[in-house]
Amino acid sequence: MASFALAISFGLPLAWAGTPTVEPETVPDVLIRQHGTRLPKVAPVEEDYARNCQGCHGHEGHSVTEVPRLQGRAGWFTHTREGRAYLVQVPNVQQAALSDERLATMLNWLLAQFSSEQLKPGFEPYSAAEVHALRAQPLESVIARRREVIDGLVRAGVIPDATALAFSLEPGRY
Amino acid sequence: MAKGLQFMDRFFERMSRRTAQQVSRRHFLSGLGAAMVGSTFLPVLPVSRKAQAADDPAAAWAKQVEAQTKDPRACNYWRYCSSDGYLCSCCGGGPATCPPGAVPSPTSWVGSCLNPDDGKMYLIAYRDCCGKDSCPKCNCLGTAGEKPAYIPQLNNDIIWCFGASSMIYHCSSAAIVGQI
């Protein structure tokens, strides 16, 4: 077993060239070190999204069924006052380690990036002051509030039925 | 020790008194002005920014462990500044790839580490490899920028196999997301 581990550490990676296994010299580090390769720079607003949201919501605003999809959906919430508030009050947004200003900028970027087609016509971007006021009113029950907000959007004719904004992509669930 | 300190004390007192006596105030102000104007240009000079980032936890980690970029099987490999668990590089995978038989979790947490080669900060996705019994090799613990477990989305004690086909943890990988 020990010799096997030793072989993995020193010998095998070379023998495995061409397989998905990465040998130290093939990772981008060597490009940075020897050729000064630059990776695309992440803009500050994208960095805020990456650090605070991307891990679960995915870098394109969608990932697994357990995580609510942002892409092609989040914009619907901006059609009602309650929905607009909900996007800020949802716990991980409300508690995000970002200033009101950066959070407002990130939300506006996120909506434009992932869900511009669903935005309310003439959507007014979030301001730091609005985000500040909404963060001061955390939700008692996020599930109950989400249901109220989505029912409101259905009543207003924004979405045909509640499944359009189901929490999970599994049918019939909020 | 006390004597040494007394000497230093006297030395600096003499120095500052002499300066006060010999240098005119205008001379002092012009010097201060030059220093202030000069220092505004300093940050644009093409020098390494490592020193500026010294208060960042990732930069502090890199300094403390003497982070390197050549061996992803060692705990001080630069991308592991916030990695908690077994290194996939030691389990038949790479720093950003899962070993055969394990699947990358679709969810991860994103932190940042300092690359000692170019002195720049990179966003790193800490993505666990799941679906296979745990690989007890190269256990490393980096905690740069990590938050307590009550902020689970930025915590590395929990198992990041959320959304994967199996919640069984195998090892931890660290993929570069981009440069910041």
Side-chain angles (χ1 to χ4, degrees):
Chain A
M1 197 61 197
S3 64
F4 179 64
L6 213 65
I8 285 190
S9 305
F10 299 109
L12 278 182
L14 293 172
W16 286 351
T19 72
T21 311
V22 173
E23 210 275 330
E25 294 304 299
T26 66
V27 296
D29 302 337
V30 74
L31 299 176
I32 295 168
R33 185 165 59 241
Q34 291 180 357
H35 306 288
T37 303
R38 289 274 165 278
L39 298 183
K41 218 167 153 78
V42 178
V45 67
E46 291 172 16
E47 182 186 341
D48 283 345
Y49 175 78
R51 284 183 187 273
N52 296 282
C53 325
Q54 176 171 314
C56 291
H57 284 287
H59 74 284
E60 288 179 331
H62 61 88
S63 69
V64 290
T65 53
E66 289 91 335
V67 181
R69 185 187 182 98
L70 304 174
Q71 199 190 61
R73 302 204 319 172
W76 293 128
F77 285 100
T78 62
H79 285 252
T80 60
R81 200 169 56 85
E82 294 77 19
R84 190 182 164 104
Y86 175 81
L87 287 184
V88 180
Q89 291 170 315
V90 80
N92 277 0
V93 175
Q94 190 250 344
Q95 296 166 17
L98 291 171
S99 68
D100 297 327
E101 194 156 8
R102 275 168 64 185
L103 185 55
T105 305
M106 200 271 288
L107 282 170
N108 294 329
W109 173 86
L110 181 159
L111 288 165
Q113 187 78 6
F114 300 135
S115 193
S116 58
E117 284 175 25
Q118 290 74 35
L119 283 177
K120 184 181 179 179
F123 165 70
E124 209 169 289
Y126 287 98
S127 68
E130 180 183 7
V131 165
H132 182 83
L134 289 169
R135 283 175 118 180
Q137 308 158 29
L139 301 177
E140 273 184 34
S141 165
V142 61
I143 298 294
R145 185 63 182 153
R146 187 183 175 94
R147 191 162 298 156
E148 286 168 14
V149 167
I150 290 174
D151 288 345
L153 289 168
V154 175
R155 277 198 305 277
V158 177
I159 49 174
D161 57 64
T163 55
L165 280 171
F167 182 88
S168 149
L169 291 183
E170 288 167 45
R173 282 180 59 188
Y174 272 94
Chain B
M1 187 69 185
K3 249 185 185 166
L5 285 177
Q6 273 176 14
F7 167 76
M8 294 264 284
D9 224 24
R10 275 203 303 274
F11 174 74
F12 283 109
E13 188 190 335
R14 267 207 302 274
M15 281 263 293
S16 48
R17 282 184 190 280
R18 197 174 304 155
T19 310
Q21 282 164 5
Q22 293 179 351
V23 179
S24 77
R25 250 183 293 180
R26 232 178 258 176
H27 180 90
F28 171 74
L29 283 175
S30 70
L32 181 71
M36 281 169 72
V37 172
S39 62
T40 58
F41 287 104
L42 268 182
V44 298
L45 292 174
V47 292
S48 167
R49 301 283 181 82
K50 271 184 213 176
Q52 284 186 352
D55 55 341
D56 185 283
W61 177 88
K63 200 175 166 191
Q64 191 198 332
V65 303
E66 296 180 13
Q68 46 82 23
T69 61
K70 290 181 179 162
D71 182 11
R73 297 177 189 87
C75 285
N76 70 343
Y77 178 67
W78 70 282
R79 292 187 212 168
Y80 300 151
C81 72
S82 315
S83 181
D84 179 0
Y86 308 122
L87 303 182
C88 289
S89 299
C90 294
C91 305
T97 49
C98 290
V103 289
S105 168
T107 56
S108 61
W109 80 280
V110 178
S112 57
C113 296
L114 182 81
N115 184 325
D117 285 339
D118 60 3
K120 296 196 183 304
M121 205 68 90
Y122 289 82
L123 283 180
I124 307 286
Y126 293 100
R127 195 175 295 134
D128 286 345
C129 293
C130 315
K132 203 176 161 186
D133 215 1
S134 95
C135 157
K137 285 176 195 155
C138 305
N139 192 15
C140 300
L141 175 62
T143 56
E146 183 214 17
K147 298 278 192 297
Y150 56 80
I151 308 177
Q153 68 270 31
L154 293 175
N155 178 268
N156 68 11
D157 300 327
I158 59 170
I159 287 179
W160 275 95
C161 287
F162 188 58
S165 50
S166 160
M167 280 293 285
I168 297 172
Y169 166 81
H170 184 60
C171 61
S172 304
S173 75
I176 297 180
V177 173
Q179 188 214 311
I180 48 177

